[in-house]
Amino acid sequence: MEACGLSEQPSRSRVFVAGVLDRVPARAVPKLRRIRVTRFGLVLRIKILPGQDFLDYDAATERLRHAWRTHDVYVRALKPGFLEVRLVGYDVLRYVVMPRKLPAAELLKVPVALRSDGALHLRDFRASPHELVIGATESGKSVYLRGLIKGLATQPVALVGIDCKWGVELAPFARRLSALAYTPEDAAELLDVLVEEMVQRYELIRASQGLGAGVAVEEITSDVWGLPEDVRPAPIVLIVDEVAELFLIANKADEKRRDHMVTQLIRLAQLGRAAAIYLEVCGQRFGSDLGSGATALRAQLTGRVAHRVNDEASAKMALGDISVRAVGAATQIAVERPGTAVVGLLSGGWARIRSAFVSLDEVAAVCADTAHRTPYIPALADFRMQPAVLPTQPSKQTV
Ligand SMILES: Nc1ncnc2c1ncn2[C@@H]1O[C@H](COP(=O)(O)OP(=O)(O)OP(=O)(O)O)[C@@H](O)[C@H]1O
Ligand SMILES: [Mg+2]
């Protein structure tokens, strides 16, 4: 620590004792309070010295990394006066191996990736209801979505897909999807139905608020999670792959439909959370050049994941509001590392992650096995793929 500039002047008592013993007083160094061994290296708990702060250590991570000869060093502030320093011994994201023991499954919380410090990255829909996933072609967006679908398929959650690549990414999972649209026309109808479903849910919440004489104060709720379990509607996760396709228009007539569709998406993003409707929006770029409404929609998507991008402007679309360093990190992702991304963290800051690779047939098999768990939502029944159109066998992986 001393070599890395993290020591301080010795205390007066030390100077006095050293003077009495005719020695040079040693500089004060931060104290190691706890040490924990993990699969990836060590986690240290350090009591910092008076006058120091988190930023001193954050700035020294590169020096510490070389001094301790570790692959990476990460610092996190704990309670005042204490820091957690993670020493990672090797490149965790080279081959992503998810921990064998995952945390107990929680509704709408799915482990999807590993962070570069070895921690598990969870997609928590209740903490961050809507998310934007961007990345250049072949950067790993669809695999990230597959991981999410695999995790959600086993939960009592309705999955709704809009896949403007003619359904090639999401159709193999149709058995578990409550609805699937793969043309902009179908998507427009589906979004209308979802907004109507959201309105119905709000009506339900309002009706349950009742606020009659007999209603106890703790029973009043402003979202579906406060409703009794027997009337609570199933949460809906709307997955949109290649969102830019929804914005494209060929002629003037399309423009009206596009504007209406974008407005419906914005309404879902603004009001969906309380009705347990969540969005996962995926695209190669997501800027104002897509057309009116794009920036308004982007502003509503709190969660940000940026895979490898071709230019800084694309990274800025996702991470510009989070950190300049995060933007730089997203532009430096190597082509031979698909699935690597930079994410904005709920706790503030950002991290590098890499999703666990899951093949198309693996997820298709999970969806076929869990098809019976698809919640029945009457409004979406018309958008469910009919058995005659479904593949009989989970399709073989084509990527
Ligand atoms: N986490 C990962 N680990 C290893 N390989 C991955 C990972 N994620 C994606 N890949 C590989 O990268 C390639 C592209 O992945 P994917 O189809 O998800 O990209 P994409 O961003 O959706 O591309 P497009 O925009 O063309 O749809 C695939 O061949 C896949 O096998
Ligand atoms: Mg894709």
Side-chain angles (χ1 to χ4, degrees):
M1 291 262 179
E2 192 165 357
C4 299
L6 293 169
S7 59
E8 292 290 334
Q9 296 287 354
S11 62
R12 278 190 196 177
S13 53
R14 243 171 217 258
V15 173
F16 176 75
V17 173
V20 170
L21 298 175
D22 200 17
R23 288 188 184 159
V24 180
R27 286 174 68 84
V29 286
K31 290 200 171 53
L32 180 65
R33 283 286 181 244
R34 197 183 300 160
I35 185 162
R36 185 159 55 88
V37 181
T38 67
R39 178 159 90 98
F40 310 103
L42 300 173
V43 181
L44 315 177
R45 190 184 167 97
I46 285 178
K47 185 168 185 276
I48 62 176
L49 297 168
Q52 294 185 330
D53 70 3
F54 163 78
L55 292 178
D56 296 330
Y57 287 77
D58 193 42
T61 50
E62 200 52 27
R63 274 170 271 152
L64 290 170
R65 186 171 89 82
H66 290 294
W68 289 337
R69 300 205 178 116
T70 57
H71 180 74
D72 249 326
V73 175
Y74 296 91
V75 185
R76 187 165 72 94
L78 301 172
K79 63 180 180 179
F82 290 87
L83 292 179
E84 182 186 271
V85 180
R86 273 176 178 255
L87 311 185
V88 182
Y90 63 98
D91 185 359
V92 176
L93 302 187
R94 195 180 160 97
Y95 299 107
V96 175
V97 183
M98 297 293 264
R100 222 175 295 155
K101 265 198 177 168
L102 292 170
E106 268 182 67
L107 186 64
L108 291 167
K109 218 173 181 182
V110 183
V112 275
L114 220 51
R115 290 189 195 157
S116 53
D117 65 356
L120 201 58
H121 181 70
L122 297 161
R123 169 75 178 99
D124 183 351
F125 285 89
R126 290 196 61 186
S128 168
H130 314 302
E131 185 172 77
L132 172 65
V133 182
I134 68 154
T137 185
E138 290 277 292
S139 59
K141 303 179 297 293
S142 300
V143 171
Y144 179 85
L145 290 187
R146 273 182 219 163
L148 271 185
I149 294 175
K150 186 180 167 202
L152 291 171
T154 52
Q155 302 188 4
V157 173
L159 298 170
V160 175
I162 295 180
D163 179 3
C164 292
K165 274 168 92 179
W166 288 269
V168 292
E169 296 286 0
L170 298 181
F173 317 138
R175 283 188 168 75
R176 181 60 185 80
L177 299 184
S178 300
L180 175 63
Y182 47 83
T183 61
E185 293 76 20
D186 285 352
E189 279 179 42
L190 178 56
L191 288 172
D192 283 346
V193 170
L194 281 173
V195 170
E196 185 52 38
E197 173 71 17
M198 180 178 76
V199 174
Q200 297 295 326
R201 290 181 176 200
Y202 271 103
E203 294 283 353
L204 181 70
I205 298 165
R206 206 179 52 184
S208 86
Q209 281 177 335
L211 303 186
V215 179
V217 181
E218 57 274 19
E219 281 173 25
I220 300 173
T221 175
S222 62
D223 63 26
V224 291
W225 300 108
L227 295 174
E229 238 173 85
D230 50 335
V231 294
R232 187 188 307 151
I236 298 176
V237 174
L238 169 62
I239 295 166
V240 185
D241 202 353
E242 298 303 351
V243 67
E245 287 291 320
L246 294 182
F247 284 82
L248 292 185
I249 44 169
N251 50 48
K252 203 81 186 146
D254 281 356
E255 193 172 343
K256 214 167 144 202
R257 192 202 58 222
R258 192 268 313 264
D259 288 348
H260 177 69
M261 198 155 49
V262 174
T263 309
Q264 298 295 60
L265 263 177
I266 295 174
R267 290 187 73 197
L268 286 173
Q270 273 175 183
L271 305 168
R273 184 206 57 84
I277 298 180
Y278 306 104
L279 305 188
E280 191 72 26
V281 177
C282 197
Q284 298 191 8
R285 281 173 66 82
F286 205 99
S288 50
D289 48 335
L290 282 183
S292 62
T295 20
L297 177 58
R298 194 180 63 197
Q300 295 296 332
L301 306 173
T302 343
R304 300 294 170 92
V305 180
H307 288 84
R308 177 179 52 79
V309 285
N310 291 330
D311 55 351
E312 202 185 64
S314 304
K316 271 191 185 151
M317 289 169 194
L319 302 168
D321 343 328
I322 294 175
S323 140
V324 186
R325 278 171 70 193
V327 172
T331 51
Q332 281 162 19
I333 297 170
V335 180
E336 62 274 11
R337 289 278 186 100
T340 308
V342 175
V343 290
L345 298 177
L346 292 174
S347 52
W350 57 279
R352 271 187 315 123
I353 62 162
R354 191 170 188 194
S355 47
F357 178 75
V358 269
S359 65
L360 191 70
D361 46 359
E362 187 184 339
V363 184
V366 171
C367 288
D369 289 348
T370 52
H372 62 283
R373 302 192 69 169
T374 312
Y376 178 65
I377 298 181
L380 298 178
D382 287 346
F383 293 90
R384 197 148 188 217
M385 250 191 169
Q386 297 310 310
V389 201
L390 293 175
T392 45
Q393 291 272 315
S395 36
K396 282 278 159 234
Q397 191 195 347
T398 52
V399 285

